[in-house]
Structure formats: C-alpha cells, structure tokens
Amino acid sequence: MSRSLLRRVALVLIYLALTLGCAWGVGRAGFRQALSPLQERGEADLALTVDRLTGQMQRYQDLAVLMTSHPALEAVAASPQSAELRVLANDLLTGAADRTTALNLIYVSSEREVLASARLAEEGGSLQSLVPDRVLERAFNGALGSGIAPIGPDGLRAYVFAAPSYAPGGGVRGALIVAVDIDHVEQAWRGDRPAVFFTDGAGRVFVTNRSEILMWQVGDDRLQPPQGAAVPLRREMVGGHEIWRAELGAYVPDPALRLVRDIPQAGMQATALIDVTPAERLALLQGAVAGLILLAFGAVVFWAMERRRVLARANAQLEIRVAERTAELSGTNIALRREVTERQEAEAALKRAQEELVQAGKLSALGQMSAGLSHELNQPLMAIRQFAENGSLLLERGKADQAGQNLTRISELSGRMGRIIRNLRAFARQESEPARRIDLGQVIASALEMTEARLAKDGVALNWQPPAQPVRAMAGEVRLAQVLVNLISNAADAMAGSERKALTITLEAAGGANGRPVIRVRDTGPGIDQPERIFDPFYSTKEVGASEGMGLGLSISYGLVQSFGGAIRGRNLAQGGAEFSVELEPVAEDLAAQ
C-alpha cells in the first residue's frame, strides 16, 4: 500500500471520528435543551398534584378543627362516665366518618382515654396503632397535630390530624383525631401522568399514583421494594437536571427526569418522574442529522480532492503524451459547463411551470364557476335596473319614502356585487407573500361566496355555522381560499349522483387534540376509492377525458397547504361520504393565551 493511500485512509478515519464526536455533542446539547421545557411542564404538573393532595387533606384537617367544639363532644368530655353521652358521641363520629369517607374519628381525653370513636372498637384497633405520640403531644399542647400513621399488619395507610379541644376555663381537655384513608385519596388520580410519589421522612413511598412502587424505600443507588430484590438506581446530571434510570415497571418511565418538591406541612417530599424518551429521540435525531450533514460535506470534500488529484495526474499524463488531448479535454469541459447551464435552465423552467400550474388551477376553478358567478352578477344588475326604474316613477309620483327604500336595496345589491368581484380579484391574483395571520372564518366565507352559485345549482344543502369568535391561523389567504374552493367543488362533483346532497363545513380552534386549527369539509358522496393515492398528481376518479379536470386539484392543494406549514388529509366516513381536513399552524399569541 502506497504512502499516499495510507495518508488518505488516515484522513478519512480522523474525519469519521470527528464527525462521530460532533454528532454526539450535538445530540447531547439537544438533549439538554429539550429537558428545560420538560422540566417546566413537569414542575407545573407536580405543583398541581401537590395542590390536589393538600386540598383533599385540607378537608379532613378542617373537619378535625371544626368538630372539636361540637356540643356532643364537649358533653362527653365533661361527663366521661356517662354511657348515654358516649353513645351519642359515637353516633356523631360514625355519621361524620361515613359522610366524609374518613378512615376513623376518635375523641380522646387529656389522659389519652378514648371517649368516643367511629370505628376503633369494631376494627379491633388501638389508639397507639393509629396516632403517633408526637401528633397527640402537639394537640395536647394546644396546636394542630398531623402526621403519618403507622402501617398496620394489613398494609392500611393513614394520615392523621389531631385538633385540641379546649376547656371552658382554659387549657386542653381532649383532642379530636381524624384518620384519612390514603388509598381512598389516591383513587381519584391513580394512573394520571406524570408518575408522582410522596415519600415520608424515612424515604418510603407513602402516596403515589403508581401502585407498583407503593411502600418502596428510595435510596441513593437503589430502590428497595417491601419484598424481593432491590432495583438498581443510576442517577445522572445533565445540564443541571437529574435523570433517573431504573426499571420500576411498565407504567413508570425509564429514563425519567426527576423533579422534587418538599411539603413541610405534611412531613413528606413529592417526586415526579417525567418521561424523557421524546427528548432522547429528538436529541438522537438532531445528532443523526448533524452527522449526516458532516458526512455529506466530508464526502463532497473528499470527492473534490480525489477528483482534483485524478485530474492533476491526468493533466500531467496528457502534457507528457500528446498535445491533442488538451483540445479534447477542453471540449469535454465546455460540454460539462453547457450541461450544467442547461440543467440550471431546466430547473428554473420547472419552478416557473409549477407557479403557472398553481395559477392555472385557480383560473380553471374560476372558469368552472364562471357560469354561476355570471348568474350571481346578472341577477343583482337586473334588480338594480328594476329598482332604479321604479324609483324614478315613485319620485315622479311624490313617494320619496318608497323611492328611498329602492335606493337602499340598490346600495345593498351593489355591495353584494362588489364583494363577489373583490373575492374574484383576490382569488385570481398570485400570492407570493409568506404565511401570515388570517381569520379562517372570513376565508371560508369568501370560498363559499365564490361557490354559492355552484352549490345552489347542484341542489347541495350547506351546513356551516360561523364561529362566535375569530379563529386565526398562519397561512396564505388567497392560497387557502383556492384549497377550500377546490375541496368544495370536488365535494359537489362527488355528490352529483347521490340521492342526498349535503356539504358540512366545520372549524375547530387551536387547543384541541392536535393543538392546531382544523377545517373539515364533509360530503355525502360515494367516498374515496383509494385514499392513499388521492393526493397523487393526475389521479382522478372522474371519467378519462372529462372536462372537469386532470386530477391535479388535490395535488396542488396538498402543495399549497404544505407551503405554509399545514397538513391536508382525506378519509372515508363510517356513515358514508368523505371528509377532508386541513390543519394549519396556530398563531403564537393564541397559544400563549390558552
């Protein structure tokens, strides 16, 4: 192997290594950048979950505070030996527990004697098994006590509140304990996203919306379930964000962005695990694109260098051998330049043809609508003439009020003609501006006004309800109007042989399932034979040689919608007919306002 070849191989390997390193760096940077919006959304979800839990617990705390002064409890505290008062107090606490779904309500004296209880006796429990000593001590000191109750042998989880009961002369004579069933609290948000769990002071998962990690012990490098082997936990810091990697079950993300929020008033810490798989996929895609770009650039440079080397060697050989080859090489270069010029001219011609094809599509649509539009203009003209002649006669007869009404009708008819002509002028012009903010309701109204005569002629019933508020999107007004005119015309063509002819147009604002405004056009025709080919050029369901078109309308519409970042789709409806949906980019201000 020659030294020159070895040098070239070494350069290629070095460049490949640099490309791999750059792609890894781009992917890593993209991953760090993608974590910031994930953290913002995750912190908002975590705050909502914490507020939801504390709000549910607040009901039971208020119950403990408000019921301490109930006359039945004060009476049993004053006469603890009265069996009748104890029965009344027990009934009171039992009814409160049933209505609030509390696990238990217990009223104790300052000597920690149970004076009344909702369920302690029937369940065979004890005061010590439900209420930690520090919670009772805080209540007997005149403050509200709260904390996590010990886990019983049946695995029942409870959170308790202890509110002090004050004697008439001052001092604490008892306490009302409210035990909250944590399992009942979890039922309302179990399975929600993201995965959230609350740990106690010992790092044990006490509350969570993922039952598979309940009562797990969270350590620095592992998570220990109540039974079985520990699960390894790997922590990684990426741009100030903590990433957890652990196999905790099918419904707990791995890897996940860990967000933490302390809840000092409850003695717990809330942790949210946000799935970072979308961020990893995006980072991988960015790194792959960067690597492909660098590889393509390197391939071009290597090809250019190799070509230059080959040409240099060929030139040297040509100079050594014969001078005639110089003329031949010059002729080859001239042919190459001519070919490049011809291809550039062909590309420019192709672009002009594409632009002319779009304009021809609009002019073709105007031609198909010409008969109906001439009728729409002819009727107001004849009416204006009639109203003008009647107005002259009314003025001669001195009936100025009736003549004024005729002039008002003439003004309204001329305004209608002006709108029709204005829509035609706007529709026919070539729009080269980029996408801008437009009112979709007005665009739909313009398209319907241009196709109104066609729909009336074919007997098509129109179902269209303009929105109460403007629905805005980023698009080209003229290009979008052309797309809608094409869809409405195609729907009318499809329903030509249908017994029921109904065209339904709906407009959905941004903020739905896909987050973008959507225009839907439905018909009651026979549907689409081959939905996967509907946007192919020259594909048409009309008879070959028919005058209605060559199958370019939907292909042009597809390109127009994509030109301002939208998407157009067609599908068959289960009840019959077809539906075309046009998704558009929302306006940034509208998304921020939601």
Side-chain angles (χ1 to χ4, degrees):
M1 187 178 293
S2 65
R3 181 177 299 178
S4 176
L5 180 58
L6 288 175
R7 185 169 60 251
R8 292 199 300 273
V9 172
L11 288 175
V12 170
L13 294 177
I14 292 173
Y15 185 79
L16 289 176
L18 292 175
T19 299
L20 183 61
C22 290
W24 181 86
V26 170
R28 195 68 175 174
F31 182 60
R32 288 196 299 269
Q33 184 179 8
L35 288 177
S36 296
L38 279 179
Q39 180 177 3
E40 293 177 1
R41 292 195 297 270
E43 288 178 347
D45 293 337
L46 179 59
L48 182 62
T49 304
V50 170
D51 292 342
R52 190 174 183 180
L53 176 63
T54 54
Q56 289 178 287
M57 303 289 282
Q58 184 68 35
R59 294 190 307 139
Y60 300 99
Q61 176 181 320
D62 296 341
L63 176 65
V65 174
L66 295 176
M67 285 196 66
T68 53
S69 59
H70 195 279
L73 299 181
E74 291 182 348
V76 76
S79 302
Q81 303 304 323
S82 173
E84 182 180 357
L85 292 178
R86 287 200 176 200
V87 170
L88 291 176
N90 286 337
D91 293 342
L92 171 68
L93 297 183
T94 301
D98 292 338
R99 287 190 296 271
T100 60
T101 67
L103 182 63
N104 203 350
L105 280 84
I106 307 172
Y107 187 74
V108 298
S109 65
S110 57
E111 289 79 18
R112 302 196 180 190
E113 177 187 0
V114 177
L115 302 180
S117 172
R119 298 187 177 93
L120 185 63
E122 68 185 42
E123 293 182 2
S126 64
L127 185 63
Q128 292 76 13
S129 64
L130 278 178
V131 188
D133 290 339
R134 60 180 179 81
V135 176
L136 278 178
E137 288 295 335
R138 184 170 175 82
F140 290 144
N141 290 330
L144 177 67
S146 63
I148 298 174
I151 304 297
D154 56 354
L156 186 66
R157 293 168 294 145
Y159 193 92
V160 295
F161 294 98
S165 176
Y166 299 100
V172 178
R173 65 179 178 183
L176 177 62
I177 302 165
V178 177
V180 183
D181 188 356
I182 296 300
D183 185 70
H184 178 77
V185 172
E186 286 178 344
Q187 287 180 359
W189 46 283
R190 187 169 292 165
D192 291 351
R193 291 187 177 181
V196 179
F197 60 85
F198 298 80
T199 54
D200 56 15
R204 180 181 57 182
V205 178
F206 185 70
V207 185
T208 179
N209 59 359
R210 297 294 187 271
S211 58
E212 57 264 37
I213 61 173
L214 185 62
M215 306 307 296
W216 284 42
Q217 190 76 26
V218 180
D220 292 334
D221 59 351
R222 65 185 58 197
L223 289 93
Q224 179 67 49
Q227 297 178 353
V231 176
L233 170 64
R234 184 159 58 92
R235 303 171 186 257
E236 178 184 357
M237 297 301 298
V238 179
H241 306 283
E242 184 178 357
I243 305 299
W244 274 24
R245 298 183 183 274
E247 297 180 1
L248 302 179
Y251 300 101
V252 180
D254 177 28
L257 172 64
R258 178 177 180 256
L259 302 176
V260 180
R261 183 169 182 173
D262 291 326
I263 314 175
Q265 66 272 23
M268 291 187 289
Q269 185 183 66
T271 302
L273 299 179
I274 312 300
D275 189 7
V276 298
T277 302
E280 285 189 334
R281 291 174 181 170
L282 179 61
L284 180 62
L285 179 61
Q286 291 175 342
V289 170
L292 289 175
I293 292 175
L294 291 175
L295 286 176
F297 176 76
V300 171
V301 172
F302 180 77
W303 176 81
M305 293 175 61
E306 285 296 306
R307 181 175 176 81
R308 182 178 179 182
R309 185 181 62 82
V310 171
L311 289 176
R313 186 173 60 184
N315 288 334
Q317 292 176 354
L318 288 174
E319 290 176 358
I320 294 174
R321 292 180 181 177
V322 286
E324 295 89 40
R325 300 292 298 274
T326 304
E328 183 180 349
L329 181 60
S330 299
T332 302
N333 290 335
I334 293 174
L336 288 175
R337 287 195 295 270
R338 185 182 300 112
E339 183 179 354
V340 170
T341 303
E342 290 176 354
R343 294 194 177 187
Q344 291 175 346
E345 293 176 353
E347 183 179 0
L350 177 60
K351 291 181 179 179
R352 289 194 301 271
Q354 290 175 341
E355 295 174 356
E356 292 172 358
L357 183 60
V358 171
Q359 186 66 12
K362 290 196 290 186
L363 296 179
S364 175
L366 286 176
Q368 294 178 5
M369 295 186 297
S370 60
L373 291 175
S374 62
H375 178 70
E376 286 293 312
L377 293 176
N378 187 44
Q379 276 191 337
L381 283 174
M382 294 178 63
I384 288 173
R385 178 179 178 182
Q386 186 66 35
F387 280 124
E389 292 176 355
N390 291 343
S392 299
L393 293 175
L394 290 172
L395 288 175
E396 291 176 0
R397 298 175 182 176
K399 298 180 179 180
D401 293 341
Q402 297 182 10
Q405 294 177 1
N406 283 10
L407 292 177
T408 301
R409 290 291 296 155
I410 290 174
S411 176
E412 293 174 352
L413 291 172
S414 62
R416 173 176 172 80
M417 294 175 60
R419 288 196 306 271
I420 294 174
I421 295 174
R422 185 165 55 252
N423 288 335
L424 289 176
R425 290 172 58 189
F427 184 76
R429 76 171 187 266
Q430 291 194 12
E431 182 184 52
S432 57
E433 294 83 1
R436 59 186 180 87
R437 183 172 57 186
I438 63 172
D439 186 349
L440 297 182
Q442 293 181 357
V443 176
I444 295 174
S446 299
L448 288 174
E449 196 163 30
M450 286 186 284
T451 56
E452 180 181 3
R454 166 71 186 280
L455 297 178
K457 176 184 175 183
D458 292 350
V460 177
L462 175 64
N463 299 320
W464 156 245
Q465 184 64 37
Q469 298 294 332
V471 178
R472 301 180 299 178
M474 301 299 296
E477 185 172 0
V478 175
R479 287 174 285 174
L480 182 57
Q482 180 183 355
V483 172
L484 294 178
V485 168
N486 188 24
L487 293 180
I488 294 172
S489 300
N490 284 351
D493 291 340
M495 293 185 292
S498 299
E499 181 178 349
R500 176 174 172 265
K501 301 179 181 180
L503 177 68
T504 302
I505 300 178
T506 59
L507 176 56
E508 301 173 8
N514 55 9
R516 302 202 293 180
V518 181
I519 302 173
R520 301 186 188 276
V521 179
R522 302 187 184 97
D523 61 54
T524 57
I528 307 170
D529 290 338
Q530 296 176 295
E532 69 278 1
R533 295 189 54 203
I534 193 66
F535 296 109
D536 292 347
F538 302 106
Y539 173 78
S540 175
T541 59
K542 301 170 186 177
E543 185 179 354
V544 176
S547 59
E548 286 81 357
M550 299 183 296
L552 292 175
L554 288 177
S555 178
I556 294 174
S557 299
Y558 184 87
L560 291 176
V561 174
Q562 282 199 329
S563 67
F564 36 76
I568 180 172
R569 299 180 178 87
R571 67 185 183 95
N572 290 320
L573 299 175
Q575 66 272 24
E579 177 189 86
F580 284 85
S581 60
V582 180
E583 299 179 4
L584 303 170
E585 287 294 324
V587 179
E589 309 82 277
D590 295 344
L591 289 178
Q594 294 179 0

